[in-house]
Amino acid sequence: PRVRPAGLCQTRTMPSIPERTLHRAAPVLVALLFWAYYLVPFVARPDLWIRGLVAVPGLLAIAALGLRGRRPLLVVVVTGACLLVSPGAAGAVFVAQAGLARRTPRIATVLAAATGLVLAKAVQLLLLSGAPATARISAIAFEFTVLAAGVVIATLAGRLARSRAEEAASRTESERARRAAEQARLAEARLAERSRIAREMHDVVAHRISLVALRAGVLAHSAPDPSTREEARLIQSTARDALAELRVVLADLRGPDAPPEPPQPTLADLPVLVAEARSSGQVVAVDLGVA
């Protein structure tokens, strides 16, 4: 079984489908409540065109909110245009401004949009109110203050949501980098362990096989019986083949990134080989003369 290293397990809780639907529908419900609030005073009016002037642009602004995820600036422009003629678009304006503040990185664009929406409300009050009486001035000022405060709150809420999203993305990137570093450390540890095993096998097994080949070679030259010499030569050849195959296996075990093996012994290393053979109990006579 494979064991996952500690620290790599992470549990993510995804919101359910009803929660996501409610999260998306909540801003639209807020916009509808504002639309209904501003429509109520005009319901009793006998003039149908006045009710339509309040209701239709407000509904158009609410319908435009469906594009706030892809075209937030366009939605702000559309809702601001609807606000020029209808106070019922106020709720849609708040939702559109919050979406723009969340999805647009440039703060200058967000502030320009907020200023434009406040100016649109001022123009709308001037167009619909005409020359208001003194008693209505306070009501108009209150309505303008509500709109301006709502735009400011929506802007701050959108920027806060963007900041939290960027912080979450930063944490995710940091976690991804930590996982990559952990995987790199594990891969390095595996490579080091494989290299250690390869070195131990080379130092122990290859050395023993070399001694077998060496003794078989001596026996092939010193045995009085021809059949014994032939068997010794066969053992020597088999030992050399086994040593070559062992080196191939060890090379695969060490991996392509492992450092190269040390060079094979030369004539200069003969004293060391003789000493190793004598330490194993074998009597070795060395003759360096040229026949």
Side-chain angles (χ1 to χ4, degrees):
R2 300 179 60 183
V3 179
R4 179 172 296 180
L8 296 185
C9 300
Q10 182 182 14
T11 303
R12 297 182 59 186
T13 303
M14 298 296 294
S16 61
I17 294 179
E19 290 177 352
R20 292 199 300 267
T21 303
L22 181 61
H23 179 72
R24 295 175 182 176
V28 179
L29 293 176
V30 172
L32 285 173
L33 288 176
F34 273 91
W35 174 78
Y37 170 77
Y38 281 103
L39 184 63
V40 168
F42 296 92
V43 172
R45 289 268 188 116
D47 301 327
L48 182 63
W49 69 273
I50 294 180
R51 284 179 284 175
L53 186 64
V54 176
V56 175
L59 290 177
L60 290 177
I62 294 173
L65 294 179
L67 298 175
R68 68 184 185 277
R70 291 173 290 177
R71 300 290 183 86
L73 184 58
L74 177 62
V75 173
V76 169
V77 173
V78 172
T79 55
C82 294
L83 184 65
L84 284 172
V85 295
S86 172
V93 162
F94 299 153
V95 176
Q97 178 63 16
L100 179 67
R102 179 180 180 181
R103 294 176 175 85
T104 302
R106 297 181 59 184
I107 188 63
T109 303
V110 177
L111 294 179
T115 303
L117 293 175
V118 173
L119 292 178
K121 181 62 178 179
V123 173
Q124 178 249 312
L125 288 174
L126 291 176
L127 291 178
L128 295 184
S129 301
T134 305
R136 292 197 56 200
I137 292 179
S138 59
I140 294 174
F142 174 77
E143 186 175 346
F144 179 80
T145 302
V146 169
L147 189 283
V151 170
V152 171
I153 293 173
T155 302
L156 294 177
R159 298 309 292 183
L160 178 61
R162 179 178 180 83
S163 177
R164 293 180 61 183
E166 290 176 349
E167 183 180 356
S170 178
R171 288 197 302 267
T172 302
E173 186 64 27
S174 299
E175 180 66 18
R176 187 180 294 112
R178 188 188 67 81
R179 290 186 179 184
E182 184 71 18
Q183 292 293 338
R185 287 194 295 269
L186 289 175
E188 184 178 357
R190 293 192 193 101
L191 180 59
E193 183 65 16
R194 290 168 62 178
S195 299
R196 184 188 66 81
I197 295 173
R199 285 194 303 269
E200 291 183 355
M201 291 184 65
H202 184 273
D203 293 342
V204 177
V205 181
H207 176 66
R208 299 301 180 187
I209 296 178
S210 298
L211 289 179
V212 170
L214 179 62
R215 292 183 179 183
V218 172
L219 183 61
H221 288 83
S222 61
D225 186 7
S227 62
T228 304
R229 290 197 298 270
E230 185 64 28
E231 291 294 332
R233 291 191 186 96
L234 180 60
I235 293 174
Q236 185 183 27
S237 176
T238 304
R240 288 175 179 175
D241 293 341
L243 187 60
E245 293 176 0
L246 178 62
R247 287 186 177 132
V248 172
V249 173
L250 293 180
D252 293 338
L253 182 61
R254 289 164 62 90
D257 299 330
E261 294 184 0
Q264 295 299 311
T266 61
L267 186 59
D269 301 313
L270 183 59
V272 177
L273 296 177
V274 172
E276 291 180 354
R278 287 173 177 171
S279 65
S280 63
Q282 186 175 2
V283 178
V284 179
V286 181
D287 185 5
L288 297 180
V290 180

